[in-house]
Amino acid sequence: PGSSPCRSVIMVAKAVGVELNKKLLNLQAGEHLKPEFLKINPQHTIPTLVDNGFALWESRAILVYLVEKYGKTDSLYPKCPKKRALINQRLYFDMGTLYQSFANYYYPQVFAKAPADPEAFKKIEAAFEFLNTFLEGQTYVAGDSLTVADIALLASVSTFEVAKFDISKYDNVSRWYENAKKVTPGWDENWAGCLE
């Protein structure tokens, strides 16, 4: 529940009507390093999806897979190459810039009791500036309707909120965030995971 990438998968599954059989792993106890899990995912990361024997990890790949396999429409991940490319760019931005900035700043403090690094905090602010720019005049991050990019970024931004990062300084992000919370299936479960 505390993992933004896991919560994004939960929300997309809800959006496409897939009932997940969730398994909670205790990472601190090393459950993700047990032989039975390594057999499924040798990279031993979460989330990992097993769908009728097909194993897949990396949350953003799982989001796309769920929509392509189970979506009744392609609205969350349209077939148009240009729309899809923009969604992919935003997914990679989430993975490599926004969520990575969270991990670089907060994880050392939480897991290693390290002091806050002001340089890492500047990278969070820069990431939010980029997101704010992407959202200029836009209701959604990649087009004119909700997509998997919005859902992935919603999971990340909500994690920043629960960590007490001040999102209100970014007008476009704040406006998008308020709307995304209302229109995204599974938001309540996402927020409950954040609070947990």
Side-chain angles (χ1 to χ4, degrees), residues 87-98:
I87 291 166
N88 290 339
Q89 186 279 322
R90 300 303 195 249
L91 289 172
Y92 301 149
F93 167 78
D94 179 46
M95 180 179 168
T97 304
L98 186 69

Side-chain angles (χ1 to χ4, degrees), residues 89-90 93 129-136 138 140-141:
Q89 186 279 322
R90 300 303 195 249
F93 167 78
E129 285 294 340
F130 285 129
L131 183 55
N132 205 56
T133 299
F134 299 159
L135 286 161
E136 186 65 44
Q138 302 291 316
Y140 299 98
V141 296

Side-chain angles (χ1 to χ4, degrees), residues 32-192:
H32 61 305
L33 301 173
K34 289 186 173 180
E36 55 269 24
F37 190 73
L38 292 173
K39 192 177 203 180
I40 296 167
N41 175 354
Q43 198 175 347
H44 57 80
T45 55
I46 60 161
T48 296
L49 176 77
V50 180
D51 183 18
N52 295 312
F54 173 67
L56 183 64
W57 53 95
E58 174 35 55
S59 64
R60 291 135 194 107
I62 295 170
L63 305 182
V64 169
Y65 171 78
L66 286 172
V67 172
E68 289 187 324
K69 180 152 187 206
Y70 296 104
K72 313 277 185 288
T73 71
D74 71 349
S75 67
L76 291 174
Y77 195 63
K79 296 203 182 336
C80 168
K82 288 182 180 175
K83 289 180 179 180
R84 195 169 268 199
L86 187 59
I87 291 166
N88 290 339
Q89 186 279 322
R90 300 303 195 249
L91 289 172
Y92 301 149
F93 167 78
D94 179 46
M95 180 179 168
T97 304
L98 186 69
Y99 189 74
Q100 189 62 52
S101 74
F102 181 91
N104 291 346
Y105 181 71
Y106 290 104
Y107 285 5
Q109 295 175 64
V110 172
F111 299 116
K113 306 295 181 234
D117 177 355
E119 291 306 309
F121 189 79
K122 286 178 186 171
K123 293 204 167 137
I124 292 174
E125 293 175 316
F128 269 86
E129 285 294 340
F130 285 129
L131 183 55
N132 205 56
T133 299
F134 299 159
L135 286 161
E136 186 65 44
Q138 302 291 316
T139 302
Y140 299 98
V141 296
D144 55 8
S145 64
L146 185 76
T147 68
V148 293
D150 291 286
I151 297 172
L153 285 159
L154 176 62
S156 293
V157 170
S158 61
T159 306
F160 278 99
E161 181 186 10
V162 89
K164 307 278 191 261
F165 178 77
D166 185 8
I167 298 162
S168 70
K169 297 190 295 189
Y170 307 91
D171 292 344
N172 298 331
V173 175
S174 294
R175 181 182 36 75
W176 163 83
Y177 185 51
E178 289 309 311
N179 180 63
K181 291 191 289 190
K182 291 177 193 148
V183 301
T184 303
W187 162 256
D188 292 343
E189 189 171 351
N190 174 74
W191 187 244

